[in-house]
Amino acid sequence: GGIITQTPKFLIGQEGQKLTLKCQQNFNHDTMYWYRQDSGKGLRLIYYSITENDLQKGDLSEGYDASREKKSSFSLTVTSAQKNEMAVFLCASSPRLGGYAEQFFGPGTRLTVL
Amino acid sequence: SQWGEENLQALSIQEGEDVTMNCSYKTYTTVVHWYRQDSGRGPALIILIRSNEREKRSGRLRATLDTSSQSSSLSITAAQCEDTAVYFCATDLMGYKLTFGTGTSLLVDP
């Protein structure tokens, strides 16, 4: 088995601030994902990466940057936090890209922007 | 249905009852994932059903897939309090990434 660790668990920022969320996995999975989950909504894909140093935009990439410098880690940056923004950011990994691959999720980072 | 921009659906049942959650999708998919998300945690896969399967069972869980109507269902038999969670379906609409539905919040009362 393995685990996905996300830091921080809670993140409070100011409007316009640049904020970075981190994710680590020890599954040795090739593919990693960042999703955004708004209250009462489904998960929306922000970025994914199929290998180290690879980055692919998802449906919600505007306003975000990502970085995959190591196989085990995937970072997400909110480039300019929006006032009153509240969401949970979920990191996931899977052994490969494709619909048959199970995705394993971390516990999430809860973002609040004041 | 838990697709698209609809808000989270909510179901409340008594312990011991059976419950079915539905999911409809818009285009062809090769697989439907059903995930469960407990409060404060990330989603976890509970059943994966492929397009060539009509039904898949795992313990008290049963998933069905009807590719002709582009719909899937997840049933829980004799629900227990620990089944309280949000349940999502997800499909691989683009063949390489999952697209998640909005979810169904299930509350099982003792």
Short mmCIF file of all heavy atoms in Angstrom, two decimals, chain A residues 9 33 35 37 40-43 45 48 59 90 97-107 110, chain B residues 5 7-8 30-31 33 35 37 40-43 45 48 50 88 92 95-98 100-102:
data_model
loop_
_atom_site.label_atom_id
_atom_site.label_comp_id
_atom_site.label_asym_id
_atom_site.label_seq_id
_atom_site.Cartn_x
_atom_site.Cartn_y
_atom_site.Cartn_z
N LYS A 9 -2.85 21.27 5.52
CA LYS A 9 -4.22 20.75 5.59
C LYS A 9 -5.21 21.91 5.44
O LYS A 9 -6.25 21.76 4.81
CB LYS A 9 -4.43 20.04 6.93
CG LYS A 9 -5.73 19.26 7.02
CD LYS A 9 -5.77 18.47 8.30
CE LYS A 9 -7.10 17.75 8.48
NZ LYS A 9 -7.31 16.71 7.46
N TYR A 33 -2.47 14.04 -10.18
CA TYR A 33 -3.55 14.95 -10.55
C TYR A 33 -3.80 15.97 -9.43
O TYR A 33 -3.59 15.68 -8.26
CB TYR A 33 -4.87 14.18 -10.74
CG TYR A 33 -4.81 12.95 -11.60
CD1 TYR A 33 -4.34 11.73 -11.09
CD2 TYR A 33 -5.25 12.98 -12.91
CE1 TYR A 33 -4.31 10.59 -11.87
CE2 TYR A 33 -5.23 11.84 -13.70
CZ TYR A 33 -4.76 10.65 -13.18
OH TYR A 33 -4.74 9.53 -13.96
N TYR A 35 -7.19 18.27 -8.33
CA TYR A 35 -8.60 18.56 -8.53
C TYR A 35 -9.02 19.67 -7.57
O TYR A 35 -8.49 19.79 -6.47
CB TYR A 35 -9.47 17.33 -8.22
CG TYR A 35 -9.36 16.19 -9.18
CD1 TYR A 35 -8.44 15.17 -8.98
CD2 TYR A 35 -10.20 16.11 -10.29
CE1 TYR A 35 -8.37 14.10 -9.84
CE2 TYR A 35 -10.12 15.04 -11.17
CZ TYR A 35 -9.20 14.05 -10.94
OH TYR A 35 -9.13 12.99 -11.81
N GLN A 37 -12.49 20.95 -5.52
CA GLN A 37 -13.82 20.51 -5.11
C GLN A 37 -14.48 21.67 -4.38
O GLN A 37 -14.05 22.06 -3.30
CB GLN A 37 -13.74 19.28 -4.20
CG GLN A 37 -15.11 18.74 -3.82
CD GLN A 37 -15.05 17.46 -3.02
OE1 GLN A 37 -14.10 17.20 -2.29
NE2 GLN A 37 -16.05 16.61 -3.18
N GLY A 40 -20.64 21.11 -2.42
CA GLY A 40 -21.83 20.66 -3.13
C GLY A 40 -21.62 20.38 -4.61
O GLY A 40 -22.58 20.16 -5.34
N LYS A 41 -20.37 20.39 -5.04
CA LYS A 41 -20.06 20.16 -6.45
C LYS A 41 -19.16 18.95 -6.60
O LYS A 41 -18.58 18.44 -5.65
CB LYS A 41 -19.35 21.40 -7.03
CG LYS A 41 -20.12 22.69 -6.89
CD LYS A 41 -21.32 22.75 -7.79
CE LYS A 41 -21.98 24.12 -7.74
NZ LYS A 41 -23.22 24.17 -8.54
N GLY A 42 -19.02 18.53 -7.86
CA GLY A 42 -18.10 17.44 -8.15
C GLY A 42 -16.66 17.91 -8.21
O GLY A 42 -16.36 19.07 -7.96
N LEU A 43 -15.77 17.00 -8.56
CA LEU A 43 -14.35 17.31 -8.67
C LEU A 43 -14.04 17.82 -10.08
O LEU A 43 -14.50 17.23 -11.06
CB LEU A 43 -13.51 16.05 -8.42
CG LEU A 43 -13.30 15.61 -6.98
CD1 LEU A 43 -14.59 15.22 -6.30
CD2 LEU A 43 -12.30 14.47 -6.96
N LEU A 45 -10.88 18.86 -12.72
CA LEU A 45 -9.46 18.65 -12.93
C LEU A 45 -8.76 19.95 -13.27
O LEU A 45 -9.16 20.67 -14.19
CB LEU A 45 -9.26 17.63 -14.07
CG LEU A 45 -7.84 17.23 -14.39
CD1 LEU A 45 -7.21 16.49 -13.20
CD2 LEU A 45 -7.82 16.33 -15.63
N TYR A 48 -2.77 17.73 -14.57
CA TYR A 48 -2.28 16.39 -14.33
C TYR A 48 -0.90 16.24 -14.94
O TYR A 48 -0.48 17.07 -15.76
CB TYR A 48 -3.26 15.32 -14.82
CG TYR A 48 -3.46 15.24 -16.31
CD1 TYR A 48 -2.82 14.27 -17.07
CD2 TYR A 48 -4.35 16.10 -16.95
CE1 TYR A 48 -3.03 14.18 -18.43
CE2 TYR A 48 -4.56 16.01 -18.31
CZ TYR A 48 -3.91 15.05 -19.05
OH TYR A 48 -4.12 14.95 -20.39
N ASP A 59 -9.42 21.00 -17.07
CA ASP A 59 -10.53 21.87 -17.46
C ASP A 59 -10.51 23.22 -16.75
O ASP A 59 -11.19 24.16 -17.15
CB ASP A 59 -11.86 21.17 -17.14
CG ASP A 59 -11.97 19.84 -17.85
OD1 ASP A 59 -11.58 19.77 -19.03
OD2 ASP A 59 -12.44 18.87 -17.22
N LEU A 90 -7.78 18.64 -4.01
CA LEU A 90 -7.44 17.22 -3.82
C LEU A 90 -6.35 16.80 -4.79
O LEU A 90 -6.43 17.07 -5.99
CB LEU A 90 -8.68 16.36 -4.06
CG LEU A 90 -9.81 16.51 -3.04
CD1 LEU A 90 -11.10 15.93 -3.57
CD2 LEU A 90 -9.44 15.84 -1.73
N LEU A 97 -1.97 6.54 -16.83
CA LEU A 97 -3.08 7.34 -17.34
C LEU A 97 -4.10 6.40 -17.98
O LEU A 97 -3.74 5.36 -18.52
CB LEU A 97 -2.52 8.32 -18.38
CG LEU A 97 -3.43 9.48 -18.80
CD1 LEU A 97 -3.73 10.37 -17.62
CD2 LEU A 97 -2.75 10.26 -19.91
N GLY A 98 -5.34 6.77 -17.92
CA GLY A 98 -6.35 5.95 -18.58
C GLY A 98 -7.52 5.64 -17.67
O GLY A 98 -7.37 5.62 -16.45
N GLY A 99 -8.64 5.38 -18.28
CA GLY A 99 -9.86 5.22 -17.51
C GLY A 99 -9.91 4.02 -16.60
O GLY A 99 -10.64 4.01 -15.63
N TYR A 100 -9.12 2.98 -16.90
CA TYR A 100 -9.18 1.78 -16.06
C TYR A 100 -8.33 1.89 -14.80
O TYR A 100 -8.39 1.03 -13.93
CB TYR A 100 -8.72 0.55 -16.85
CG TYR A 100 -9.66 0.17 -17.96
CD1 TYR A 100 -9.25 0.23 -19.29
CD2 TYR A 100 -10.96 -0.24 -17.70
CE1 TYR A 100 -10.11 -0.11 -20.32
CE2 TYR A 100 -11.82 -0.59 -18.71
CZ TYR A 100 -11.40 -0.52 -20.03
OH TYR A 100 -12.25 -0.85 -21.04
N ALA A 101 -7.54 2.95 -14.72
CA ALA A 101 -6.63 3.07 -13.58
C ALA A 101 -7.32 3.74 -12.41
O ALA A 101 -7.85 4.84 -12.53
CB ALA A 101 -5.40 3.88 -13.99
N GLU A 102 -7.28 3.05 -11.27
CA GLU A 102 -7.82 3.62 -10.05
C GLU A 102 -7.01 4.83 -9.65
O GLU A 102 -5.79 4.83 -9.75
CB GLU A 102 -7.76 2.58 -8.93
CG GLU A 102 -8.23 3.11 -7.56
CD GLU A 102 -8.18 2.04 -6.49
OE1 GLU A 102 -7.83 0.89 -6.81
OE2 GLU A 102 -8.48 2.36 -5.32
N GLN A 103 -7.70 5.86 -9.17
CA GLN A 103 -7.01 7.02 -8.65
C GLN A 103 -7.06 6.98 -7.12
O GLN A 103 -8.10 6.69 -6.54
CB GLN A 103 -7.64 8.31 -9.17
CG GLN A 103 -7.42 8.49 -10.66
CD GLN A 103 -7.86 9.83 -11.18
OE1 GLN A 103 -8.04 10.79 -10.44
NE2 GLN A 103 -8.03 9.93 -12.51
N PHE A 104 -5.93 7.26 -6.50
CA PHE A 104 -5.81 7.28 -5.05
C PHE A 104 -5.69 8.74 -4.62
O PHE A 104 -4.83 9.46 -5.14
CB PHE A 104 -4.57 6.49 -4.61
CG PHE A 104 -4.65 5.04 -4.95
CD1 PHE A 104 -4.32 4.58 -6.22
CD2 PHE A 104 -5.06 4.11 -4.00
CE1 PHE A 104 -4.41 3.23 -6.55
CE2 PHE A 104 -5.15 2.76 -4.31
CZ PHE A 104 -4.83 2.32 -5.59
N PHE A 105 -6.52 9.13 -3.68
CA PHE A 105 -6.61 10.53 -3.30
C PHE A 105 -5.98 10.81 -1.94
O PHE A 105 -6.01 9.97 -1.04
CB PHE A 105 -8.07 10.97 -3.24
CG PHE A 105 -8.69 11.16 -4.59
CD1 PHE A 105 -9.21 10.10 -5.29
CD2 PHE A 105 -8.77 12.43 -5.16
CE1 PHE A 105 -9.79 10.27 -6.55
CE2 PHE A 105 -9.35 12.62 -6.40
CZ PHE A 105 -9.86 11.53 -7.10
N GLY A 106 -5.46 12.03 -1.81
CA GLY A 106 -5.04 12.52 -0.52
C GLY A 106 -6.22 13.12 0.22
O GLY A 106 -7.33 13.19 -0.32
N PRO A 107 -6.00 13.58 1.46
CA PRO A 107 -7.10 14.10 2.29
C PRO A 107 -7.55 15.51 1.91
O PRO A 107 -8.59 15.95 2.36
CB PRO A 107 -6.51 14.08 3.69
CG PRO A 107 -5.04 14.22 3.47
CD PRO A 107 -4.73 13.51 2.20
N ARG A 110 -7.70 22.54 2.41
CA ARG A 110 -8.88 23.40 2.44
C ARG A 110 -8.43 24.85 2.38
O ARG A 110 -7.74 25.32 3.29
CB ARG A 110 -9.69 23.14 3.70
CG ARG A 110 -11.08 23.74 3.71
CD ARG A 110 -11.90 23.20 4.89
NE ARG A 110 -12.12 21.78 4.79
CZ ARG A 110 -13.16 21.22 4.19
NH1 ARG A 110 -14.08 21.97 3.62
NH2 ARG A 110 -13.30 19.90 4.18
N GLU B 5 -23.61 20.36 -14.05
CA GLU B 5 -23.52 21.44 -13.09
C GLU B 5 -24.59 21.36 -12.01
O GLU B 5 -24.79 22.27 -11.25
CB GLU B 5 -23.65 22.79 -13.82
CG GLU B 5 -22.56 23.06 -14.82
CD GLU B 5 -21.17 23.03 -14.15
OE1 GLU B 5 -21.03 23.63 -13.07
OE2 GLU B 5 -20.26 22.39 -14.69
N ASN B 7 -26.38 20.52 -8.51
CA ASN B 7 -25.86 20.50 -7.16
C ASN B 7 -25.90 19.10 -6.59
O ASN B 7 -26.60 18.22 -7.10
CB ASN B 7 -26.67 21.45 -6.27
CG ASN B 7 -26.36 22.90 -6.58
OD1 ASN B 7 -25.24 23.24 -6.95
ND2 ASN B 7 -27.36 23.74 -6.46
N LEU B 8 -25.14 18.93 -5.53
CA LEU B 8 -25.08 17.66 -4.83
C LEU B 8 -26.49 17.22 -4.45
O LEU B 8 -27.28 17.97 -3.89
CB LEU B 8 -24.23 17.86 -3.57
CG LEU B 8 -24.00 16.67 -2.68
CD1 LEU B 8 -23.02 15.73 -3.31
CD2 LEU B 8 -23.48 17.13 -1.33
N THR B 30 -15.62 3.98 -21.55
CA THR B 30 -15.17 2.58 -21.50
C THR B 30 -15.31 2.01 -20.10
O THR B 30 -15.22 0.80 -19.91
CB THR B 30 -13.70 2.44 -21.94
OG1 THR B 30 -12.89 3.21 -21.05
CG2 THR B 30 -13.52 2.91 -23.36
N VAL B 31 -15.53 2.90 -19.12
CA VAL B 31 -15.54 2.44 -17.75
C VAL B 31 -16.27 3.46 -16.88
O VAL B 31 -16.27 4.65 -17.18
CB VAL B 31 -14.10 2.22 -17.24
CG1 VAL B 31 -13.34 3.54 -17.24
CG2 VAL B 31 -14.06 1.57 -15.87
N HIS B 33 -16.32 4.56 -12.82
CA HIS B 33 -15.80 4.41 -11.47
C HIS B 33 -16.86 4.90 -10.49
O HIS B 33 -17.50 5.92 -10.73
CB HIS B 33 -14.56 5.27 -11.24
CG HIS B 33 -13.37 4.92 -12.05
ND1 HIS B 33 -12.10 4.90 -11.52
CD2 HIS B 33 -13.22 4.58 -13.36
CE1 HIS B 33 -11.23 4.58 -12.45
NE2 HIS B 33 -11.88 4.38 -13.58
N TYR B 35 -16.83 6.18 -6.58
CA TYR B 35 -15.98 6.55 -5.45
C TYR B 35 -16.85 6.93 -4.26
O TYR B 35 -17.96 7.44 -4.41
CB TYR B 35 -15.08 7.75 -5.78
CG TYR B 35 -13.91 7.42 -6.67
CD1 TYR B 35 -14.07 7.33 -8.04
CD2 TYR B 35 -12.64 7.19 -6.13
CE1 TYR B 35 -12.99 7.03 -8.86
CE2 TYR B 35 -11.56 6.89 -6.94
CZ TYR B 35 -11.74 6.81 -8.31
OH TYR B 35 -10.68 6.51 -9.12
N GLN B 37 -16.66 9.20 -0.63
CA GLN B 37 -15.87 10.20 0.09
C GLN B 37 -16.46 10.41 1.47
O GLN B 37 -17.60 10.86 1.61
CB GLN B 37 -15.84 11.53 -0.66
CG GLN B 37 -14.95 12.57 -0.01
CD GLN B 37 -14.85 13.86 -0.82
OE1 GLN B 37 -15.73 14.19 -1.60
NE2 GLN B 37 -13.74 14.59 -0.65
N GLY B 40 -14.17 14.97 5.37
CA GLY B 40 -12.80 15.35 5.69
C GLY B 40 -11.74 14.49 5.04
O GLY B 40 -10.55 14.64 5.35
N ARG B 41 -12.12 13.61 4.15
CA ARG B 41 -11.15 12.73 3.49
C ARG B 41 -11.30 12.81 1.98
O ARG B 41 -12.28 13.36 1.46
CB ARG B 41 -11.36 11.29 3.96
CG ARG B 41 -11.31 11.17 5.48
CD ARG B 41 -11.38 9.74 5.93
NE ARG B 41 -10.15 9.02 5.65
CZ ARG B 41 -9.86 7.84 6.14
NH1 ARG B 41 -10.71 7.23 6.94
NH2 ARG B 41 -8.74 7.23 5.84
N GLY B 42 -10.31 12.27 1.28
CA GLY B 42 -10.40 12.22 -0.16
C GLY B 42 -11.26 11.04 -0.60
O GLY B 42 -11.49 10.11 0.16
N PRO B 43 -11.74 11.06 -1.86
CA PRO B 43 -12.53 9.94 -2.38
C PRO B 43 -11.71 8.65 -2.44
O PRO B 43 -10.49 8.69 -2.59
CB PRO B 43 -12.92 10.40 -3.79
CG PRO B 43 -12.77 11.89 -3.78
CD PRO B 43 -11.64 12.15 -2.83
N LEU B 45 -11.97 4.63 -4.27
CA LEU B 45 -12.69 3.78 -5.23
C LEU B 45 -13.37 2.62 -4.51
O LEU B 45 -12.77 1.94 -3.69
CB LEU B 45 -11.70 3.23 -6.26
CG LEU B 45 -12.31 2.35 -7.35
CD1 LEU B 45 -13.15 3.19 -8.30
CD2 LEU B 45 -11.23 1.61 -8.12
N LEU B 48 -15.44 -0.45 -9.82
CA LEU B 48 -15.12 -0.03 -11.19
C LEU B 48 -15.84 -1.01 -12.10
O LEU B 48 -15.66 -2.23 -11.97
CB LEU B 48 -13.61 -0.07 -11.40
CG LEU B 48 -13.03 0.44 -12.72
CD1 LEU B 48 -11.60 0.91 -12.51
CD2 LEU B 48 -13.06 -0.64 -13.78
N ARG B 50 -16.72 -1.98 -16.15
CA ARG B 50 -16.28 -1.74 -17.52
C ARG B 50 -17.47 -1.78 -18.47
O ARG B 50 -18.52 -2.36 -18.17
CB ARG B 50 -15.25 -2.79 -17.93
CG ARG B 50 -14.02 -2.74 -17.06
CD ARG B 50 -13.07 -3.87 -17.36
NE ARG B 50 -11.95 -3.84 -16.41
CZ ARG B 50 -10.68 -3.80 -16.76
NH1 ARG B 50 -10.35 -3.78 -18.03
NH2 ARG B 50 -9.73 -3.77 -15.84
N PHE B 88 -19.66 9.36 -5.60
CA PHE B 88 -19.45 9.96 -6.92
C PHE B 88 -19.32 8.87 -7.98
O PHE B 88 -18.69 7.85 -7.74
CB PHE B 88 -18.13 10.75 -6.97
CG PHE B 88 -18.09 11.97 -6.11
CD1 PHE B 88 -17.51 11.91 -4.85
CD2 PHE B 88 -18.58 13.17 -6.57
CE1 PHE B 88 -17.44 13.05 -4.06
CE2 PHE B 88 -18.51 14.31 -5.78
CZ PHE B 88 -17.94 14.25 -4.52
N ASP B 92 -14.56 8.01 -18.08
CA ASP B 92 -13.38 8.43 -18.82
C ASP B 92 -13.83 8.98 -20.18
O ASP B 92 -13.58 8.41 -21.22
CB ASP B 92 -12.38 7.30 -18.98
CG ASP B 92 -12.89 6.18 -19.87
OD1 ASP B 92 -14.11 6.02 -19.98
OD2 ASP B 92 -12.05 5.47 -20.47
N GLY B 95 -11.10 9.20 -22.61
CA GLY B 95 -10.28 8.01 -22.73
C GLY B 95 -9.02 8.03 -21.91
O GLY B 95 -8.31 7.04 -21.84
N TYR B 96 -8.69 9.15 -21.31
CA TYR B 96 -7.45 9.20 -20.56
C TYR B 96 -7.60 9.88 -19.22
O TYR B 96 -6.72 9.82 -18.40
CB TYR B 96 -6.36 9.91 -21.37
CG TYR B 96 -6.68 11.35 -21.72
CD1 TYR B 96 -6.32 12.39 -20.88
CD2 TYR B 96 -7.37 11.66 -22.88
CE1 TYR B 96 -6.63 13.70 -21.18
CE2 TYR B 96 -7.69 12.97 -23.19
CZ TYR B 96 -7.31 13.99 -22.34
OH TYR B 96 -7.62 15.28 -22.66
N LYS B 97 -8.71 10.60 -18.99
CA LYS B 97 -8.89 11.23 -17.68
C LYS B 97 -10.32 11.03 -17.23
O LYS B 97 -11.21 10.80 -18.05
CB LYS B 97 -8.53 12.72 -17.74
CG LYS B 97 -9.45 13.57 -18.62
CD LYS B 97 -8.99 15.00 -18.64
CE LYS B 97 -9.88 15.88 -19.50
NZ LYS B 97 -11.16 16.20 -18.87
N LEU B 98 -10.51 11.07 -15.94
CA LEU B 98 -11.84 10.88 -15.40
C LEU B 98 -12.59 12.20 -15.28
O LEU B 98 -11.99 13.23 -14.97
CB LEU B 98 -11.75 10.24 -14.01
CG LEU B 98 -11.22 8.82 -13.94
CD1 LEU B 98 -11.25 8.33 -12.50
CD2 LEU B 98 -12.01 7.88 -14.84
N PHE B 100 -15.80 13.62 -13.15
CA PHE B 100 -16.61 13.25 -12.00
C PHE B 100 -17.99 13.91 -12.03
O PHE B 100 -18.13 15.07 -12.44
CB PHE B 100 -15.91 13.67 -10.71
CG PHE B 100 -14.74 12.80 -10.34
CD1 PHE B 100 -13.52 12.97 -10.96
CD2 PHE B 100 -14.88 11.81 -9.39
CE1 PHE B 100 -12.44 12.16 -10.65
CE2 PHE B 100 -13.81 10.99 -9.06
CZ PHE B 100 -12.59 11.17 -9.69
N GLY B 101 -19.00 13.18 -11.58
CA GLY B 101 -20.31 13.75 -11.37
C GLY B 101 -20.32 14.57 -10.10
O GLY B 101 -19.33 14.66 -9.37
N THR B 102 -21.46 15.18 -9.82
CA THR B 102 -21.56 16.08 -8.69
C THR B 102 -21.74 15.35 -7.36
O THR B 102 -21.55 15.94 -6.31
CB THR B 102 -22.73 17.06 -8.87
OG1 THR B 102 -23.91 16.32 -9.18
CG2 THR B 102 -22.45 18.03 -9.98
#
